[in-house]
């Protein structure tokens, strides 16, 4: 339940942020996007509801104590735990944002209302970052890294999803790319830097973290970024060039194909949120079981004090070359005018080959 709720929460944030930004973009600088007001409002309501799940997890953890009345327990968590206080702020801001969006969509509404709505939505992301796991353990460093990572991801992915799935036609697409591509590049760079900082905080012993389910999901997430970046190059550079040379080219299927990889990354991130973070793998293994997938593939003997590293073998090197070739095939999929969803398959095979290559090299 918590795993699914995290995926939906990321999706709701992306729809809200992307939808609000597109509302303030001039009509001639974006494709005709039909995003019903009800979708954004449902997403805002989803943020308020789904962001309560971490609070519910804490409640369920303490509810087994018969000496604490349920009402006192909930009150204590909401007003003394950072996750509870963060949710109360989220709830207030969600209600405010719901009202602002409703007013902003009215006829003759002031354009400033949409700008204020964007600022409130950013406040929601800050509240989520403040109550995050990284912020609770690493204070300002974790808060800034998590908030920056989440904020730029929601901007980039929100614009990507909405332009791919809520667009009526590809008119103005070239003018759309003129501003969206630089925004996407900045978002990707910030995402990578903030992601590295979070990895150093949460999984300082990166190779050993692969023993745990959290580390396995983190590895898959990192590998998925590779085909996503390739799609970004295709949709940002190659599509722009083809639009200039071919008037009848439709870029929307390629945008939709890229969004599938985004949903895979959301899934990996959502799974991670429901797992024990690998701050200290040795201590975590005393309380949690190692990843079943890791144990199936690991060819060594797992000790109480693991110290994993990589030692490349002919088989792992062969799989690494295969991953590289699948990346080349992803580019060729566009060049040879094949289905973009075949490109998604090439991306998945890149991740699969890269994953096996690393797992077979672990010693």
């Amino acid at each position: 339940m918590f795993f699914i709720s995290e995926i939906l929460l990321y999706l709701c944030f992306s729809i809200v942020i992307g939808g609000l930004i597109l509302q303030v973009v001039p009509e001639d600088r974006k494709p005709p996007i039909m995003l019903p007001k009800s979708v954004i409002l449902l997403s805002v309501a989803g943020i308020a509801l789904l962001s309560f799940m971490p609070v519910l997890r804490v409640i369920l953890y303490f509810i087994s104590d018969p000496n604490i009345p349920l009402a006192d327990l909930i009150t204590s968590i909401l007003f003394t735990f950072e996750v509870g206080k963060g949710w109360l702020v989220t709830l207030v801001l969600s209600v405010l944002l719901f009202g602002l969006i409703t007013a902003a969509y009215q006829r003759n509404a002031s354009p400033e209302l949409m700008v204020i709505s964007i600022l409130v939505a950013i406040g929601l992301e800050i509240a989520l970052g403040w109550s995050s796991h990284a912020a609770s353990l690493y204070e300002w460093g974790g808060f800034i890294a998590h908030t920056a990572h989440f904020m730029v991801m929601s901007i980039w992915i929100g614009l990507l999803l909405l332009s791919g799935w809520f667009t009526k036609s590809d008119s103005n697409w070239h003018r759309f790319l003129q501003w969206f591509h630089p925004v996407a590049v900045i978002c990707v760079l910030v995402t990578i830097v903030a992601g590295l900082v979070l990895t150093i905080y949460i999984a300082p012993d990166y190779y050993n973290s692969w023993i745990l389910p959290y580390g396995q999901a983190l590895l898959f997430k990192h590998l998925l970024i590779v085909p996503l970046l390739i799609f970004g190059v295709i949709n940002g550079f190659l599509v722009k060039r083809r639009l200039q040379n071919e008037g009848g080219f439709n870029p929307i299927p390629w945008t939709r194909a890229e969004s599938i990889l985004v949903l895979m990354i959301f899934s990996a991130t959502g799974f991670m949120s429901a797992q024990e973070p690998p701050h200290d793998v040795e201590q975590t293994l005393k309380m949690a079981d190692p990843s079943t997938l890791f144990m199936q593939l690991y060819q060594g003997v797992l000790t109480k004090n693991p110290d994993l590293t990589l030692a490349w073998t002919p088989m792992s090197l062969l799989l690494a070359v295969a991953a590289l070739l699948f990346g080349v095939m992803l580019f060729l999929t566009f060049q040879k005018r094949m289905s973009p969803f075949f490109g998604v398959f090439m991306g998945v095979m890149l991740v699969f080959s890269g994953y096996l290559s690393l797992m077979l090299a672990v010693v």
Side-chain angles (χ1 to χ4, degrees):
M1 177 177 64
F2 297 111
F3 161 48
I4 301 297
S5 69
E6 286 292 322
I7 299 173
L8 295 176
L9 179 63
Y10 302 147
L11 191 60
C12 286
F13 263 108
S14 297
I15 291 173
V16 171
I17 294 293
L20 293 177
I21 291 175
L22 286 171
Q23 287 297 318
V24 300
V25 174
E27 295 297 329
D28 62 342
R29 304 288 292 179
K30 62 184 178 183
I33 295 175
M34 295 298 296
L35 180 64
K37 179 179 70 173
S38 58
V39 173
I40 296 186
L41 292 178
L42 283 173
S43 297
V44 173
I47 290 173
L49 176 64
L50 296 167
S51 60
F52 182 74
M53 292 302 170
V55 181
L56 178 60
R57 188 185 304 174
V58 177
I59 293 173
L60 294 176
Y61 180 81
F62 288 105
I63 202 171
S64 58
D65 189 344
N67 298 319
I68 306 177
L70 181 59
D72 292 344
L73 174 62
I74 295 174
T75 302
S76 175
I77 291 173
L78 288 178
F79 291 97
T80 62
F81 284 62
E82 291 298 330
V83 66
K85 291 186 287 186
W87 180 77
L88 288 176
V89 174
T90 298
L91 178 62
V92 172
L93 291 178
S94 296
V95 173
L96 175 60
L97 183 58
F98 194 97
L100 284 170
I101 293 174
T102 301
Y105 270 84
Q106 298 299 318
R107 184 177 298 177
N108 299 323
S110 172
E112 286 77 14
L113 281 176
M114 199 61 72
V115 177
I116 296 173
S117 298
I118 294 175
L119 295 176
V120 174
I122 292 174
L124 275 170
E125 295 189 318
I126 293 174
L128 188 73
W130 184 254
S131 60
S132 67
H133 184 79
S136 64
L137 289 176
Y138 305 106
E139 299 182 342
W140 283 104
F143 163 68
I144 293 172
H146 184 277
T147 303
H149 185 270
F150 186 68
M151 190 175 296
V152 296
M153 282 287 286
S154 63
I155 293 172
W156 170 35
I157 292 171
L159 293 171
L160 177 72
L161 289 173
L162 297 182
S163 62
W165 295 98
F166 289 89
T167 302
K168 294 192 298 182
S169 72
D170 60 350
S171 61
N172 297 328
W173 200 272
H174 187 268
R175 301 196 69 185
F176 168 67
L177 288 179
Q178 287 178 342
W179 65 267
F180 172 65
H181 183 232
V183 168
V185 170
I186 294 172
C187 289
V188 169
L189 292 177
V190 175
T191 298
I192 291 174
V193 173
L196 288 174
V197 172
L198 287 173
T199 299
I200 293 171
Y201 278 146
I202 298 175
D205 198 351
Y206 187 59
Y207 292 149
N208 283 347
S209 74
W210 296 352
I211 300 172
L212 300 170
Y214 186 104
Q216 287 285 299
L218 182 62
L219 176 58
F220 272 114
K221 180 180 178 179
H222 289 165
L223 289 171
L224 281 165
I225 291 174
V226 178
L228 183 63
L229 290 176
I230 295 176
F231 262 97
V233 171
I234 291 173
N235 282 323
F237 292 99
L238 302 183
V239 163
K240 187 186 299 184
R241 185 183 306 170
R242 186 167 290 182
L243 283 171
Q244 291 173 335
N245 298 330
E246 300 177 21
F249 174 69
N250 182 9
I252 295 176
W254 279 95
T255 303
R256 292 178 176 176
E258 184 178 356
S259 69
I260 294 175
L261 289 173
V262 167
L263 293 177
M264 293 181 186
I265 291 178
F266 275 179
S267 299
T269 306
F271 179 81
M272 288 161 55
S273 67
Q275 305 301 316
E276 187 70 26
H279 305 294
D280 187 329
V281 175
E282 181 182 344
Q283 291 299 319
T284 305
L285 284 172
K286 295 178 181 178
M287 302 178 292
D289 294 328
S291 164
T292 302
L293 187 56
F294 175 85
M295 296 305 296
Q296 290 292 329
L297 295 172
Y298 182 52
Q299 298 178 332
V301 178
L302 188 61
T303 64
K304 295 181 179 180
N305 303 304
D307 186 20
L308 301 184
T309 187
L310 296 181
W312 297 99
T313 64
M315 180 59 71
S316 61
L317 287 173
L318 182 63
L319 286 165
V321 172
L324 180 62
L325 291 176
F326 281 122
V328 174
M329 283 294 297
L330 178 48
F331 276 113
L332 290 177
T333 300
F334 180 80
Q335 295 291 349
K336 299 299 182 181
R337 305 175 188 277
M338 302 170 69
S339 168
F341 298 100
F342 181 75
V344 174
F345 176 69
M346 290 294 100
V348 171
M349 291 305 298
L350 183 159
V351 172
F352 181 68
S353 301
Y355 173 78
L356 288 180
S357 173
L358 292 170
M359 284 296 99
L360 294 180
V362 170
V363 293

